[in-house]
Amino acid sequence: MLSVCFTEADQGDSLLVSSVKFSIMLGVLRGLYCNPTILPYLTISPQASNLVEIMDVFSGSKFEKFSHQRFMKNKKKYKIFDYITILPQYLIPHHPLSRLVNKLTRLRWSLWKNFLIRIFIRYYRIDLKDALCPEIESYPDFNSFFTRSLRTEARPIVNEPNSVISPVDAIVSAAGMIFNQTLFQAKGRQYCLETLLGGENHRTTRFMGGSFITLYLSPRDYHRIHMPVTGRLREMVHIPGRLFAVNNSAANVVPELFARNERVIAIFDTVVGPMALILVGALFVGSIETIWAGEITPPTREGQKAWTYPDIGTGSIILGKGTEMGRFNMGSTVIILFGTGAVAWEKSVTTGKFFRMGEKLGTQSGILHHGA
């Protein structure tokens, strides 16, 4: 049993000693926060309230209760811990651990899955009033609970014809324009569009000079992914890679994080041109699925694999705005790409802002008279 506690005596420690103590505890807790199976082994004493508060900010479970300014202040203050806590992730076996979590969260032993669900609800303060099935006994395993459906009225779709909606419940990690094939990751860090899209020039050119938004799903969020606008599926690509965590700590310190993690890319034609939905895997999130192809990963592959889809006939897929297109089996990140001049993001789209699925992210502009 791991006990986490700050005592009165600790307050007299030197800054260095306190930093080391804090980084060790933060590394254990925050580095593994998205694996609920370890939570029964963590005992947090009442004196650790400050640590828990900081933990919740970084994990997203209390993010909405903090102003963006306070979050940024904490992030700068503890940036050294970002390096310390992320460093072990370069050494651990990402995919074997993710496969283990995959199996544990699918065990259909009622005592086990009910125990995990109750611990998860308590730790992340999950409110089941929006769930289609609010009784935990109705879920066959933990993963079914994690990817639970919501009541239709719980996530109304904004009623504006040219709106671009949030495909998920998530925090905005970054948003803006794509300059010289470069996307913003975090302060002082960028990553390459061509690498993100698998190094294929025919994909890259469609989004050069366009717009992007990165949306981070914390463990407590709704984990089904919906269409931001209506689109016709043209291509799906699975790109194998690492499975670093994708929280703010990782984004701050891991170079080209989203372009090195495993991901599934779905490219659609829309009335404003091409749109890409990029589903980025993360530590303990080795399972990504779409409604048209089922589970894409696991298993992972040695190289890329691409699927193309016809305009009409057998295999043609058109999904309306707000329609479910996929899900993460555990939490992660979605990146949306549009071409040049296709969308204008709302002024409210700022780093740290939380959006629910169906809320307005932007407006379609420069609408073409062909596409979806």
Side-chain angles (χ1 to χ4, degrees):
M1 185 77 75
L2 175 65
S3 177
V4 180
C5 176
F6 277 162
T7 66
E8 294 297 323
D10 291 332
Q11 296 177 8
D13 287 339
S14 68
L15 178 61
L16 178 60
V17 172
S18 297
S19 298
V20 171
K21 286 182 178 181
F22 186 86
S23 64
I24 292 171
M25 289 184 286
L26 192 61
V28 173
L29 289 170
R30 193 178 69 203
L32 298 176
Y33 76 86
C34 64
N35 181 3
T37 62
I38 69 165
L39 296 178
Y41 302 100
L42 302 181
T43 299
I44 303 177
S45 72
Q47 294 93 332
S49 59
N50 289 337
L51 173 62
V52 175
E53 181 178 75
I54 293 168
M55 259 289 299
D56 282 343
V57 172
F58 282 98
S59 71
S61 66
K62 288 176 67 178
F63 194 97
E64 295 172 75
K65 298 183 180 179
F66 284 79
S67 67
H68 176 51
Q69 290 76 15
R70 183 172 180 183
F71 172 71
M72 293 300 291
K73 180 179 179 181
N74 282 334
K75 187 171 70 171
K76 291 177 182 178
K77 183 176 180 180
Y78 299 111
K79 190 168 183 179
I80 182 64
F81 302 133
D82 293 343
Y83 287 96
I84 293 172
T85 58
I86 296 300
L87 181 61
Q89 292 189 29
Y90 283 89
L91 307 176
I92 63 176
H94 291 182
H95 288 278
L97 284 174
S98 295
R99 286 195 294 270
L100 175 61
V101 171
N102 185 287
K103 291 183 181 298
L104 291 175
T105 56
R106 286 166 173 76
L107 287 178
R108 298 197 169 191
W109 180 29
S110 59
L111 291 177
W112 169 256
K113 63 93 177 176
N114 288 341
F115 180 67
L116 289 185
I117 292 172
R118 289 191 179 100
I119 290 291
F120 194 85
I121 290 172
R122 181 176 179 181
Y123 185 79
Y124 286 109
R125 302 174 179 89
I126 305 296
D127 186 350
L128 291 179
K129 72 178 188 300
D130 290 341
L132 189 62
C133 297
E135 299 81 17
I136 65 172
E137 292 77 13
S138 65
Y139 297 99
D141 53 39
F142 178 84
N143 188 68
S144 299
F145 162 77
F146 193 87
T147 59
R148 61 195 175 276
S149 298
L150 301 183
R151 294 180 293 105
T152 303
E153 59 271 24
R155 295 294 184 273
I157 306 300
V158 65
N159 188 23
E160 296 181 24
N162 295 330
S163 61
V164 178
I165 65 167
S166 177
V168 287
D169 285 9
I171 294 163
V172 177
S173 295
M177 302 291 292
I178 302 170
F179 294 109
N180 298 322
Q181 291 198 42
T182 300
L183 290 82
F184 179 81
Q185 175 174 301
K187 186 175 181 181
R189 295 202 178 276
Q190 295 82 34
Y191 59 103
C192 176
L193 174 66
E194 186 171 14
T195 306
L196 178 69
L197 294 176
E200 295 292 335
N201 186 63
H202 75 274
R203 297 184 199 126
T204 306
T205 54
R206 303 184 74 189
F207 298 101
M208 290 178 62
S211 304
F212 81 97
I213 187 168
T214 305
L215 300 165
Y216 168 69
L217 292 75
S218 75
R220 74 189 303 244
D221 294 326
Y222 171 58
H223 280 81
R224 298 194 179 199
I225 307 158
H226 297 249
M227 292 290 289
V229 298
T230 297
R232 182 192 304 274
L233 182 65
R234 300 311 306 265
E235 185 180 21
M236 180 176 71
V237 187
H238 172 238
I239 302 176
R242 298 298 303 274
L243 288 172
F244 288 100
V246 292
N247 57 15
N248 284 285
S249 299
N252 288 336
V253 300
V254 179
E256 297 199 327
L257 172 64
F258 303 121
R260 67 195 304 176
N261 269 18
E262 184 170 24
R263 54 204 179 275
V264 172
I265 304 169
I267 299 177
F268 296 86
D269 281 342
T270 77
V271 294
V272 290
M275 174 189 71
L277 286 178
I278 303 171
L279 285 53
V280 183
L283 188 62
F284 307 128
V285 192
S287 178
I288 302 171
E289 62 182 274
T290 65
I291 63 165
W292 59 85
E295 194 170 59
I296 308 302
T297 177
T300 191
R301 300 174 173 83
E302 290 297 323
Q304 294 183 34
K305 183 172 182 179
W307 297 260
T308 57
Y309 299 86
D311 285 342
I312 58 174
T314 305
S316 177
I317 299 171
I318 299 177
L319 299 176
K321 180 167 67 176
T323 301
E324 183 184 343
M325 60 79 61
R327 67 185 67 174
F328 287 117
N329 297 313
M330 299 299 284
S332 197
T333 289
V334 173
I335 301 171
I336 311 174
L337 307 180
F338 283 100
T340 304
V343 301
W345 301 125
E346 293 288 286
K347 291 182 180 179
S348 60
V349 174
T350 55
T351 302
K353 174 73 173 179
F354 180 84
F355 286 88
R356 287 189 167 197
M357 192 285 290
E359 293 181 337
K360 186 177 181 180
L361 290 178
T363 302
Q364 302 175 52
S365 54
I367 294 178
L368 307 174
H369 294 290
H370 58 83

Short mmCIF file of all heavy atoms in Angstrom, two decimals, residues 142-196:
data_model
loop_
_atom_site.label_atom_id
_atom_site.label_comp_id
_atom_site.label_asym_id
_atom_site.label_seq_id
_atom_site.Cartn_x
_atom_site.Cartn_y
_atom_site.Cartn_z
N PHE A 142 -15.44 -2.65 -17.07
CA PHE A 142 -15.06 -1.26 -16.80
C PHE A 142 -14.99 -0.44 -18.09
O PHE A 142 -15.40 0.72 -18.12
CB PHE A 142 -13.71 -1.20 -16.09
CG PHE A 142 -13.25 0.21 -15.83
CD1 PHE A 142 -13.69 0.89 -14.71
CD2 PHE A 142 -12.40 0.86 -16.71
CE1 PHE A 142 -13.29 2.21 -14.47
CE2 PHE A 142 -11.99 2.16 -16.48
CZ PHE A 142 -12.44 2.83 -15.36
N ASN A 143 -14.50 -1.04 -19.16
CA ASN A 143 -14.38 -0.29 -20.40
C ASN A 143 -15.74 0.15 -20.93
O ASN A 143 -15.87 1.24 -21.49
CB ASN A 143 -13.65 -1.12 -21.47
CG ASN A 143 -13.34 -0.31 -22.71
OD1 ASN A 143 -12.53 0.61 -22.69
ND2 ASN A 143 -14.02 -0.63 -23.81
N SER A 144 -16.76 -0.68 -20.76
CA SER A 144 -18.11 -0.29 -21.18
C SER A 144 -18.60 0.92 -20.41
O SER A 144 -19.27 1.80 -20.96
CB SER A 144 -19.08 -1.46 -20.98
OG SER A 144 -18.69 -2.57 -21.74
N PHE A 145 -18.25 0.97 -19.12
CA PHE A 145 -18.58 2.15 -18.32
C PHE A 145 -17.79 3.36 -18.80
O PHE A 145 -18.34 4.46 -18.95
CB PHE A 145 -18.27 1.88 -16.84
CG PHE A 145 -18.16 3.11 -16.01
CD1 PHE A 145 -19.30 3.80 -15.60
CD2 PHE A 145 -16.92 3.62 -15.65
CE1 PHE A 145 -19.19 4.96 -14.83
CE2 PHE A 145 -16.80 4.77 -14.89
CZ PHE A 145 -17.95 5.44 -14.49
N PHE A 146 -16.52 3.17 -19.06
CA PHE A 146 -15.66 4.28 -19.47
C PHE A 146 -16.13 4.91 -20.78
O PHE A 146 -16.06 6.12 -20.97
CB PHE A 146 -14.22 3.80 -19.60
CG PHE A 146 -13.22 4.90 -19.71
CD1 PHE A 146 -12.67 5.49 -18.57
CD2 PHE A 146 -12.80 5.37 -20.95
CE1 PHE A 146 -11.76 6.52 -18.67
CE2 PHE A 146 -11.89 6.39 -21.05
CZ PHE A 146 -11.36 6.96 -19.91
N THR A 147 -16.61 4.09 -21.70
CA THR A 147 -17.06 4.57 -23.00
C THR A 147 -18.59 4.66 -23.05
O THR A 147 -19.19 4.53 -24.12
CB THR A 147 -16.55 3.65 -24.13
OG1 THR A 147 -17.03 2.32 -23.90
CG2 THR A 147 -15.03 3.63 -24.18
N ARG A 148 -19.20 4.89 -21.91
CA ARG A 148 -20.67 4.87 -21.78
C ARG A 148 -21.34 5.89 -22.71
O ARG A 148 -20.80 6.96 -22.99
CB ARG A 148 -21.07 5.17 -20.33
CG ARG A 148 -20.61 6.52 -19.83
CD ARG A 148 -20.70 6.62 -18.31
NE ARG A 148 -20.13 7.89 -17.83
CZ ARG A 148 -18.83 8.07 -17.60
NH1 ARG A 148 -17.96 7.09 -17.83
NH2 ARG A 148 -18.40 9.23 -17.17
N SER A 149 -22.55 5.53 -23.13
CA SER A 149 -23.39 6.44 -23.91
C SER A 149 -24.03 7.47 -22.99
O SER A 149 -24.25 7.21 -21.81
CB SER A 149 -24.48 5.66 -24.64
OG SER A 149 -23.94 4.75 -25.55
N LEU A 150 -24.36 8.63 -23.55
CA LEU A 150 -25.06 9.66 -22.82
C LEU A 150 -26.47 9.83 -23.39
O LEU A 150 -26.74 9.47 -24.54
CB LEU A 150 -24.31 11.00 -22.92
CG LEU A 150 -22.88 11.03 -22.40
CD1 LEU A 150 -22.33 12.45 -22.51
CD2 LEU A 150 -22.78 10.52 -20.97
N ARG A 151 -27.35 10.39 -22.58
CA ARG A 151 -28.68 10.73 -23.07
C ARG A 151 -28.55 11.80 -24.15
O ARG A 151 -27.68 12.69 -24.06
CB ARG A 151 -29.54 11.26 -21.92
CG ARG A 151 -29.86 10.24 -20.85
CD ARG A 151 -30.72 10.83 -19.73
NE ARG A 151 -30.00 11.84 -18.97
CZ ARG A 151 -30.18 13.14 -19.06
NH1 ARG A 151 -31.08 13.63 -19.91
NH2 ARG A 151 -29.49 13.99 -18.32
N THR A 152 -29.38 11.72 -25.18
CA THR A 152 -29.29 12.65 -26.30
C THR A 152 -29.38 14.09 -25.85
O THR A 152 -28.62 14.96 -26.30
CB THR A 152 -30.40 12.36 -27.33
OG1 THR A 152 -30.31 11.01 -27.76
CG2 THR A 152 -30.29 13.30 -28.52
N GLU A 153 -30.29 14.38 -24.90
CA GLU A 153 -30.48 15.75 -24.44
C GLU A 153 -29.33 16.26 -23.57
O GLU A 153 -29.24 17.45 -23.30
CB GLU A 153 -31.80 15.87 -23.67
CG GLU A 153 -31.91 14.98 -22.43
CD GLU A 153 -32.49 13.60 -22.73
OE1 GLU A 153 -32.38 13.15 -23.89
OE2 GLU A 153 -33.03 12.98 -21.79
N ALA A 154 -28.43 15.35 -23.17
CA ALA A 154 -27.29 15.76 -22.33
C ALA A 154 -26.24 16.51 -23.14
O ALA A 154 -25.45 17.27 -22.57
CB ALA A 154 -26.67 14.55 -21.66
N ARG A 155 -26.20 16.27 -24.45
CA ARG A 155 -25.23 16.95 -25.31
C ARG A 155 -25.95 17.49 -26.55
O ARG A 155 -25.82 16.96 -27.65
CB ARG A 155 -24.11 16.00 -25.73
CG ARG A 155 -23.21 15.50 -24.60
CD ARG A 155 -22.42 16.62 -23.98
NE ARG A 155 -21.51 16.11 -22.96
CZ ARG A 155 -21.84 15.92 -21.68
NH1 ARG A 155 -23.08 16.17 -21.27
NH2 ARG A 155 -20.95 15.48 -20.82
N PRO A 156 -26.71 18.58 -26.40
CA PRO A 156 -27.40 19.15 -27.56
C PRO A 156 -26.40 19.71 -28.57
O PRO A 156 -25.36 20.27 -28.20
CB PRO A 156 -28.25 20.27 -26.94
CG PRO A 156 -27.56 20.62 -25.66
CD PRO A 156 -26.95 19.36 -25.16
N ILE A 157 -26.70 19.55 -29.84
CA ILE A 157 -25.85 20.08 -30.91
C ILE A 157 -26.27 21.51 -31.20
O ILE A 157 -27.46 21.79 -31.38
CB ILE A 157 -25.99 19.22 -32.20
CG1 ILE A 157 -25.73 17.74 -31.88
CG2 ILE A 157 -25.05 19.73 -33.27
CD1 ILE A 157 -24.37 17.44 -31.32
N VAL A 158 -25.32 22.42 -31.25
CA VAL A 158 -25.63 23.82 -31.49
C VAL A 158 -26.41 23.95 -32.81
O VAL A 158 -26.05 23.34 -33.82
CB VAL A 158 -24.35 24.67 -31.51
CG1 VAL A 158 -23.44 24.30 -32.67
CG2 VAL A 158 -24.69 26.15 -31.56
N ASN A 159 -27.46 24.75 -32.78
CA ASN A 159 -28.36 24.85 -33.93
C ASN A 159 -27.97 26.00 -34.85
O ASN A 159 -28.69 26.98 -35.00
CB ASN A 159 -29.81 25.02 -33.44
CG ASN A 159 -30.83 24.93 -34.56
OD1 ASN A 159 -30.55 24.32 -35.60
ND2 ASN A 159 -31.98 25.54 -34.36
N GLU A 160 -26.81 25.87 -35.48
CA GLU A 160 -26.33 26.84 -36.46
C GLU A 160 -25.80 26.07 -37.66
O GLU A 160 -24.86 25.28 -37.52
CB GLU A 160 -25.25 27.75 -35.87
CG GLU A 160 -25.73 28.63 -34.73
CD GLU A 160 -24.61 29.52 -34.20
OE1 GLU A 160 -23.66 29.79 -34.97
OE2 GLU A 160 -24.69 29.92 -33.02
N PRO A 161 -26.36 26.28 -38.85
CA PRO A 161 -26.00 25.46 -40.02
C PRO A 161 -24.52 25.43 -40.34
O PRO A 161 -23.98 24.40 -40.74
CB PRO A 161 -26.80 26.11 -41.15
CG PRO A 161 -27.93 26.82 -40.47
CD PRO A 161 -27.39 27.28 -39.16
N ASN A 162 -23.82 26.55 -40.20
CA ASN A 162 -22.41 26.62 -40.60
C ASN A 162 -21.45 26.47 -39.42
O ASN A 162 -20.27 26.79 -39.53
CB ASN A 162 -22.13 27.94 -41.31
CG ASN A 162 -22.88 28.04 -42.63
OD1 ASN A 162 -23.16 27.03 -43.27
ND2 ASN A 162 -23.22 29.25 -43.03
N SER A 163 -21.94 26.00 -38.31
CA SER A 163 -21.09 25.88 -37.13
C SER A 163 -20.17 24.66 -37.22
O SER A 163 -20.47 23.67 -37.88
CB SER A 163 -21.94 25.77 -35.87
OG SER A 163 -22.76 24.62 -35.92
N VAL A 164 -19.03 24.76 -36.56
CA VAL A 164 -18.12 23.64 -36.34
C VAL A 164 -18.22 23.31 -34.85
O VAL A 164 -17.95 24.17 -34.01
CB VAL A 164 -16.67 23.99 -36.70
CG1 VAL A 164 -15.74 22.80 -36.41
CG2 VAL A 164 -16.56 24.41 -38.15
N ILE A 165 -18.63 22.11 -34.52
CA ILE A 165 -18.86 21.77 -33.12
C ILE A 165 -17.69 20.99 -32.53
O ILE A 165 -16.89 20.38 -33.27
CB ILE A 165 -20.17 20.97 -32.93
CG1 ILE A 165 -20.06 19.61 -33.62
CG2 ILE A 165 -21.37 21.75 -33.45
CD1 ILE A 165 -21.16 18.63 -33.24
N SER A 166 -17.62 20.99 -31.22
CA SER A 166 -16.62 20.17 -30.55
C SER A 166 -17.00 18.70 -30.70
O SER A 166 -18.13 18.31 -30.40
CB SER A 166 -16.54 20.54 -29.07
OG SER A 166 -15.61 19.70 -28.41
N PRO A 167 -16.07 17.87 -31.15
CA PRO A 167 -16.39 16.44 -31.32
C PRO A 167 -16.37 15.66 -30.02
O PRO A 167 -16.80 14.50 -29.99
CB PRO A 167 -15.29 15.96 -32.26
CG PRO A 167 -14.13 16.84 -31.94
CD PRO A 167 -14.72 18.19 -31.61
N VAL A 168 -15.87 16.28 -28.96
CA VAL A 168 -15.66 15.58 -27.69
C VAL A 168 -15.87 16.53 -26.52
O VAL A 168 -15.94 17.75 -26.68
CB VAL A 168 -14.22 15.00 -27.61
CG1 VAL A 168 -14.04 13.80 -28.51
CG2 VAL A 168 -13.19 16.09 -27.93
N ASP A 169 -15.96 15.96 -25.32
CA ASP A 169 -15.82 16.74 -24.10
C ASP A 169 -14.33 16.86 -23.84
O ASP A 169 -13.65 15.85 -23.59
CB ASP A 169 -16.46 16.02 -22.91
CG ASP A 169 -17.98 16.05 -22.92
OD1 ASP A 169 -18.55 16.48 -23.93
OD2 ASP A 169 -18.57 15.65 -21.91
N ALA A 170 -13.80 18.07 -23.87
CA ALA A 170 -12.34 18.19 -23.79
C ALA A 170 -11.90 19.60 -23.47
O ALA A 170 -12.66 20.56 -23.58
CB ALA A 170 -11.71 17.74 -25.11
N ILE A 171 -10.64 19.70 -23.10
CA ILE A 171 -9.97 20.97 -22.86
C ILE A 171 -9.16 21.32 -24.10
O ILE A 171 -8.50 20.46 -24.69
CB ILE A 171 -9.04 20.86 -21.64
CG1 ILE A 171 -9.85 20.64 -20.36
CG2 ILE A 171 -8.15 22.08 -21.49
CD1 ILE A 171 -9.02 20.12 -19.21
N VAL A 172 -9.19 22.57 -24.50
CA VAL A 172 -8.38 23.03 -25.64
C VAL A 172 -6.92 23.10 -25.20
O VAL A 172 -6.56 23.86 -24.29
CB VAL A 172 -8.84 24.41 -26.14
CG1 VAL A 172 -7.93 24.88 -27.27
CG2 VAL A 172 -10.29 24.35 -26.61
N SER A 173 -6.08 22.28 -25.82
CA SER A 173 -4.64 22.33 -25.55
C SER A 173 -3.96 23.40 -26.39
O SER A 173 -3.06 24.09 -25.94
CB SER A 173 -3.99 20.98 -25.83
OG SER A 173 -4.46 20.00 -24.94
N ALA A 174 -4.41 23.53 -27.64
CA ALA A 174 -3.84 24.52 -28.56
C ALA A 174 -4.78 24.68 -29.74
O ALA A 174 -5.53 23.76 -30.07
CB ALA A 174 -2.45 24.10 -29.03
N ALA A 175 -4.74 25.83 -30.39
CA ALA A 175 -5.54 26.08 -31.59
C ALA A 175 -4.91 27.22 -32.35
O ALA A 175 -4.29 28.11 -31.77
CB ALA A 175 -6.99 26.41 -31.23
N GLY A 176 -5.07 27.20 -33.68
CA GLY A 176 -4.51 28.30 -34.47
C GLY A 176 -4.32 27.91 -35.92
O GLY A 176 -4.98 27.00 -36.44
N MET A 177 -3.39 28.60 -36.56
CA MET A 177 -3.08 28.37 -37.97
C MET A 177 -1.88 27.43 -38.11
O MET A 177 -1.05 27.33 -37.21
CB MET A 177 -2.77 29.70 -38.65
CG MET A 177 -3.89 30.72 -38.57
SD MET A 177 -5.32 30.23 -39.56
CE MET A 177 -4.65 30.36 -41.22
N ILE A 178 -1.81 26.78 -39.26
CA ILE A 178 -0.67 25.92 -39.57
C ILE A 178 0.28 26.73 -40.45
O ILE A 178 -0.02 27.05 -41.60
CB ILE A 178 -1.12 24.65 -40.32
CG1 ILE A 178 -2.14 23.88 -39.47
CG2 ILE A 178 0.07 23.77 -40.67
CD1 ILE A 178 -2.83 22.74 -40.20
N PHE A 179 1.42 27.12 -39.90
CA PHE A 179 2.41 27.93 -40.62
C PHE A 179 3.61 27.07 -40.99
O PHE A 179 4.22 26.44 -40.12
CB PHE A 179 2.88 29.11 -39.77
CG PHE A 179 1.81 30.13 -39.49
CD1 PHE A 179 1.26 30.26 -38.23
CD2 PHE A 179 1.35 30.97 -40.50
CE1 PHE A 179 0.28 31.19 -37.96
CE2 PHE A 179 0.36 31.90 -40.24
CZ PHE A 179 -0.17 32.01 -38.98
N ASN A 180 3.96 27.07 -42.29
CA ASN A 180 5.15 26.34 -42.74
C ASN A 180 5.18 24.90 -42.22
O ASN A 180 6.20 24.42 -41.73
CB ASN A 180 6.43 27.07 -42.30
CG ASN A 180 6.53 28.46 -42.90
OD1 ASN A 180 6.18 28.67 -44.06
ND2 ASN A 180 7.01 29.41 -42.11
N GLN A 181 4.04 24.23 -42.33
CA GLN A 181 3.90 22.84 -41.89
C GLN A 181 4.12 22.66 -40.39
O GLN A 181 4.43 21.56 -39.92
CB GLN A 181 4.88 21.93 -42.64
CG GLN A 181 4.57 21.75 -44.11
CD GLN A 181 5.26 20.53 -44.69
OE1 GLN A 181 5.32 19.47 -44.07
NE2 GLN A 181 5.79 20.67 -45.87
N THR A 182 3.96 23.73 -39.61
CA THR A 182 4.23 23.66 -38.18
C THR A 182 2.97 23.89 -37.37
O THR A 182 2.21 24.82 -37.63
CB THR A 182 5.29 24.71 -37.78
OG1 THR A 182 6.50 24.45 -38.50
CG2 THR A 182 5.58 24.67 -36.29
N LEU A 183 2.75 23.02 -36.38
CA LEU A 183 1.63 23.16 -35.45
C LEU A 183 2.19 23.42 -34.06
O LEU A 183 3.23 22.89 -33.67
CB LEU A 183 0.77 21.90 -35.42
CG LEU A 183 -0.08 21.58 -36.65
CD1 LEU A 183 0.77 20.89 -37.72
CD2 LEU A 183 -1.24 20.67 -36.27
N PHE A 184 1.47 24.22 -33.29
CA PHE A 184 1.88 24.55 -31.93
C PHE A 184 1.51 23.41 -30.99
O PHE A 184 0.38 22.93 -31.01
CB PHE A 184 1.20 25.85 -31.50
CG PHE A 184 1.51 26.28 -30.10
CD1 PHE A 184 2.69 26.95 -29.82
CD2 PHE A 184 0.62 26.03 -29.06
CE1 PHE A 184 2.99 27.36 -28.52
CE2 PHE A 184 0.90 26.44 -27.76
CZ PHE A 184 2.10 27.10 -27.50
N GLN A 185 2.45 22.99 -30.15
CA GLN A 185 2.18 21.92 -29.18
C GLN A 185 2.05 22.50 -27.78
O GLN A 185 1.08 22.26 -27.07
CB GLN A 185 3.31 20.89 -29.20
CG GLN A 185 3.20 19.81 -28.14
CD GLN A 185 4.25 18.74 -28.31
OE1 GLN A 185 4.34 18.08 -29.35
NE2 GLN A 185 5.08 18.54 -27.28
N ALA A 186 3.06 23.24 -27.34
CA ALA A 186 3.08 23.91 -26.04
C ALA A 186 4.12 25.00 -26.14
O ALA A 186 4.83 25.11 -27.14
CB ALA A 186 3.41 22.92 -24.92
N LYS A 187 4.22 25.85 -25.11
CA LYS A 187 5.17 26.95 -25.15
C LYS A 187 6.57 26.43 -25.46
O LYS A 187 7.13 25.60 -24.74
CB LYS A 187 5.17 27.70 -23.82
CG LYS A 187 6.03 28.95 -23.85
CD LYS A 187 5.93 29.72 -22.56
CE LYS A 187 6.79 30.98 -22.63
NZ LYS A 187 6.72 31.76 -21.37
N GLY A 188 7.14 26.93 -26.56
CA GLY A 188 8.48 26.54 -26.95
C GLY A 188 8.57 25.24 -27.71
O GLY A 188 9.67 24.79 -28.04
N ARG A 189 7.43 24.64 -28.02
CA ARG A 189 7.45 23.36 -28.73
C ARG A 189 6.45 23.36 -29.88
O ARG A 189 5.32 23.80 -29.72
CB ARG A 189 7.14 22.19 -27.79
CG ARG A 189 8.20 22.00 -26.73
CD ARG A 189 8.18 20.59 -26.16
NE ARG A 189 9.24 20.42 -25.17
CZ ARG A 189 10.49 20.11 -25.48
NH1 ARG A 189 10.83 19.92 -26.73
NH2 ARG A 189 11.40 19.98 -24.52
N GLN A 190 6.92 22.88 -31.03
CA GLN A 190 6.07 22.71 -32.21
C GLN A 190 6.29 21.31 -32.75
O GLN A 190 7.19 20.60 -32.34
CB GLN A 190 6.42 23.75 -33.30
CG GLN A 190 6.14 25.20 -32.91
CD GLN A 190 7.25 25.81 -32.09
OE1 GLN A 190 8.42 25.48 -32.27
NE2 GLN A 190 6.90 26.69 -31.17
N TYR A 191 5.46 20.93 -33.72
CA TYR A 191 5.67 19.66 -34.40
C TYR A 191 5.26 19.80 -35.85
O TYR A 191 4.59 20.76 -36.25
CB TYR A 191 4.95 18.51 -33.70
CG TYR A 191 3.45 18.65 -33.59
CD1 TYR A 191 2.59 17.93 -34.42
CD2 TYR A 191 2.87 19.46 -32.61
CE1 TYR A 191 1.21 18.04 -34.29
CE2 TYR A 191 1.50 19.57 -32.48
CZ TYR A 191 0.67 18.85 -33.32
OH TYR A 191 -0.68 18.96 -33.20
N CYS A 192 5.69 18.85 -36.66
CA CYS A 192 5.59 18.95 -38.12
C CYS A 192 4.31 18.31 -38.65
O CYS A 192 3.96 17.18 -38.29
CB CYS A 192 6.81 18.27 -38.74
SG CYS A 192 6.79 18.22 -40.54
N LEU A 193 3.62 19.03 -39.49
CA LEU A 193 2.38 18.54 -40.11
C LEU A 193 2.62 17.27 -40.91
O LEU A 193 1.86 16.30 -40.81
CB LEU A 193 1.79 19.63 -41.01
CG LEU A 193 0.57 19.24 -41.84
CD1 LEU A 193 -0.62 18.95 -40.94
CD2 LEU A 193 0.22 20.35 -42.84
N GLU A 194 3.68 17.25 -41.72
CA GLU A 194 3.95 16.09 -42.57
C GLU A 194 4.21 14.84 -41.73
O GLU A 194 3.71 13.75 -42.05
CB GLU A 194 5.14 16.36 -43.48
CG GLU A 194 5.39 15.25 -44.49
CD GLU A 194 6.43 15.61 -45.53
OE1 GLU A 194 7.15 16.61 -45.33
OE2 GLU A 194 6.52 14.89 -46.54
N THR A 195 4.96 15.00 -40.63
CA THR A 195 5.21 13.86 -39.74
C THR A 195 3.91 13.39 -39.09
O THR A 195 3.65 12.19 -38.97
CB THR A 195 6.24 14.24 -38.67
OG1 THR A 195 7.41 14.76 -39.29
CG2 THR A 195 6.61 13.04 -37.82
N LEU A 196 3.09 14.33 -38.64
CA LEU A 196 1.81 14.00 -38.02
C LEU A 196 0.96 13.15 -38.95
O LEU A 196 0.29 12.20 -38.51
CB LEU A 196 1.07 15.28 -37.65
CG LEU A 196 -0.32 15.13 -37.03
CD1 LEU A 196 -0.21 14.53 -35.63
CD2 LEU A 196 -1.04 16.47 -36.98
#
